[in-house]
Amino acid sequence: MKKNLLLTVSLILMSLSALAQAPIGIAIHGGAGTIERGNLSKAQETAIRSALSDAIEAGHQVLTDGGSSLDAVVAAVRILEDAPEFNAGRGAVLTHDGTVEMDASIMDGASLAAGAVASVAGIRHPIEAARAVMTDSPHVMLVSDGATAFAETIGLEFKDPDWFITEFRAEQLRAVQARQDASVQLSEDWFSTVGAVALDGDGNLAAATSTGGMTNKRWGRVGDSPIIGAGTYADNRACAVSATGHGEFFIRHVVAYDICARIRHAGLDLAESADAVVNGVLVKAGGDGGVIAIDAQGNIAMPFNTEGMYRAAIDAAGRKTIAIYGDD
Ligand code: ASP
């Protein structure tokens, strides 16, 4: 009798503590592409791994402090935007004219609210601008000078155009322009857009993506990153996704939404759905890239169809992964 009572009490205590520890998790990416051992110098690899580590820790800290998934993805993306190794914020790739034009978007899986900016210049953290479009405007997407004017009115931080430009990106542009005839617009062996997805302790999902787009882009080209459903999507009923890769393909195949839709409507689990889209649909279409995704149970998937993808995650059990290559 006493034994039974003890067993019941301990079972109740165990389920209470499980309830108290609702799963949290976060994943980030810093781009996908022909990232193979030997392509990166030791110094580059160390800088990339350390920026990924700082970003994933910052986002995870927000979650362990009881913060929202939206705050967590913004905290992680801000760090990656400042890291010159990645194609977002400082260190973004250069347009045909040698300028920086950035795109970003964010989505709240609880309400399906979303915000995006495209072709913006001078804003230190484009992800903050995207978030402000979501929270402080009645719109979902603002572009170019209008988006910049909006960012000024809400007091976001601006930097001089030169602050964004690194010698590495200037050299990359020279190399692309030297090997292309003028009619070819897009050429990049790898992509290094940044993004984050997170699940917070209240069961809310969020996704965020930020990029400079593609080297040598012109005519106001905009890729998938600021397009809700293509490069970014979050829905508490399914998952949160941030993508990186050849944007034109991700737009045509509505990649981030498709991954969530297959979970909701076809009953696939996160790993199956992300794999079907990245290694099925996209490969068939010829679209290089990858995604990071997390579902409402805290499962994380990070598939890519390229040689590598800069990525990191901290899962519900607190396990931290930082990886670059396919066999990492
Ligand atoms: N998806 C981005 C774009 O097409 C590029 C990237 O992922 O690096 O603009």
Side-chain angles (χ1 to χ4, degrees), residues 87 103 191-193 211 213-214 221 223-225 243-248:
N87 172 19
D103 310 324
F191 312 97
S192 50
T193 289
T211 190
M214 296 182 97
R221 180 265 181 190
D224 60 312
S225 307
T244 177
H246 195 150
E248 281 68 10

Side-chain angles (χ1 to χ4, degrees), residues 67-309:
S68 71
S69 52
L70 281 169
D71 284 342
V73 293
V74 170
V77 167
R78 278 172 56 98
I79 289 177
L80 298 171
E81 285 177 335
D82 272 351
E85 293 77 21
F86 301 107
N87 172 19
R90 179 150 183 264
V93 299
L94 303 185
T95 66
H96 186 75
D97 300 326
T99 59
V100 167
E101 286 177 5
M102 298 169 289
D103 310 324
S105 67
I106 190 164
M107 186 158 183
D108 174 8
S111 61
L112 303 188
V117 291
S119 289
V120 294
I123 303 171
R124 177 172 179 178
H125 291 296
I127 197 63
E128 297 274 18
R131 187 178 188 168
V133 172
M134 175 174 77
T135 55
D136 297 3
S137 93
H139 308 301
V140 170
M141 180 182 257
L142 300 179
V143 304
S144 194
D145 292 348
T148 309
F150 169 75
E152 270 165 6
T153 62
I154 57 161
L156 290 188
E157 185 180 355
F158 277 74
K159 289 283 186 187
D160 285 341
D162 286 351
W163 182 83
F164 293 88
I165 299 176
T166 61
E167 181 44 40
F168 176 66
R169 295 303 183 193
E171 177 48 40
Q172 214 173 30
L173 179 65
R174 285 193 287 272
V176 168
Q177 291 184 336
R179 71 169 188 251
Q180 284 190 334
D181 81 64
S183 67
V184 181
Q185 297 314 309
L186 306 172
S187 170
E188 187 56 287
D189 297 329
W190 70 89
F191 312 97
S192 50
T193 289
V194 307
V197 293
L199 167 70
D200 65 30
D202 293 329
N204 291 321
L205 294 166
T209 310
S210 183
T211 190
M214 296 182 97
T215 303
N216 202 33
K217 66 182 182 180
R218 74 201 290 201
W219 300 315
R221 180 265 181 190
V222 173
D224 60 312
S225 307
I227 310 286
I228 298 302
T232 303
Y233 203 74
D235 181 342
N236 279 3
R237 296 167 296 182
C239 65
V241 180
S242 170
T244 177
H246 195 150
E248 281 68 10
F249 292 87
F250 283 67
I251 295 173
R252 289 184 197 122
H253 296 281
V254 204
V255 163
Y257 178 76
D258 191 15
I259 292 171
C260 292
R262 285 166 191 253
I263 293 173
R264 271 190 74 201
H265 305 302
L268 267 60
D269 70 26
L270 183 80
E272 289 166 346
S273 184
D275 184 61
V277 176
V278 172
N279 289 310
V281 175
L282 278 176
V283 166
K284 217 166 144 205
D288 291 341
V291 303
I292 50 166
I294 187 167
D295 69 14
Q297 289 72 48
N299 298 304
I300 290 171
M302 302 194 281
F304 48 95
N305 61 33
T306 49
E307 285 78 358
M309 181 168 83

